[in-house]
Amino acid sequence: MSKKIDATDVTEEEALNAVFFERADEFIKQANDFCRPPKGEKANPDELRGQVSAAMLFATARFNTWVAANTFKNGEEMRDAKSEVMSYILQQFQMMLEDNFDEYCEQFDNYLRFRKNEDFHTHKHDHDDTDHHHDHSH
């Protein structure tokens, strides 16, 4: 998405789509920056990614709640619409998550080709390992 587009050549929808991905890329870039351990510290990459993922999920939940709140006249009206709003947001998230998950499955070797061996832990999916809570982080 880094190549600049000539605004006269694109429809409004295409322009909005480009802005959508530019914003998403900025959020991902910020998350990636948070995943870098502080200078001189050797951090557990899985643990750090999990923490960043959790913070990002919380921020997304918080921001989406604020966006929704701005569409209501009071807390009571907002409460009445809770299930409708929740369903919509969760449906959107599930769709985006499924699309990205499927894409990563297809492109696994390509997308993870730069992964360092020390970043990959064979015990990641061992559900008996109570010290790691990856289920909700990634």
Side-chain angles (χ1 to χ4, degrees):
M1 301 276 41
S2 56
K3 66 173 195 254
K4 291 290 166 228
I5 49 173
D6 184 349
T8 57
D9 292 341
V10 295
T11 65
E12 187 181 1
E13 189 182 354
E14 287 170 329
L16 287 171
N17 211 22
V19 172
F20 171 88
F21 284 111
E22 280 171 22
R23 287 174 177 153
D25 286 346
E26 281 298 308
F27 288 131
I28 293 167
K29 184 175 173 291
Q30 178 73 71
N32 285 335
D33 288 346
F34 284 142
C35 286
R36 292 193 184 91
K39 283 267 184 282
E41 280 187 40
K42 179 115 175 74
N44 175 342
D46 268 357
E47 194 178 330
L48 197 48
R49 288 176 194 149
Q51 291 167 358
V52 172
S53 177
M56 200 174 190
L57 271 177
F58 179 85
T60 301
R62 189 77 181 180
F63 186 79
N64 279 281
T65 302
W66 175 74
V67 169
N70 276 279
T71 68
F72 300 106
K73 66 174 186 283
N74 57 42
E76 194 179 330
E77 186 184 85
M78 184 174 174
R79 190 172 285 113
D80 290 343
K82 182 180 178 181
S83 63
E84 190 183 328
V85 172
M86 299 277 280
S87 293
Y88 173 75
I89 293 171
L90 290 172
Q91 182 184 40
Q92 291 294 304
F93 183 71
Q94 183 169 2
M95 190 172 65
M96 292 176 184
L97 185 61
E98 282 181 6
D99 285 349
N100 282 282
F101 198 95
D102 291 346
E103 184 182 334
Y104 261 78
C105 291
E106 297 276 323
Q107 298 289 329
F108 192 89
D109 292 337
N110 188 32
Y111 286 175
L112 276 80
R113 70 186 184 279
F114 299 119
R115 176 170 60 177
K116 295 178 181 69
N117 286 332
E118 67 265 26
D119 286 357
F120 181 64
H121 302 291
T122 51
H123 65 268
K124 183 186 274 192
H125 297 292
D126 180 3
H127 295 294
D128 296 332
D129 188 356
T130 52
D131 293 337
H132 295 80
H133 303 285
H134 296 290
D135 297 2
H136 302 296
S137 301
H138 294 56

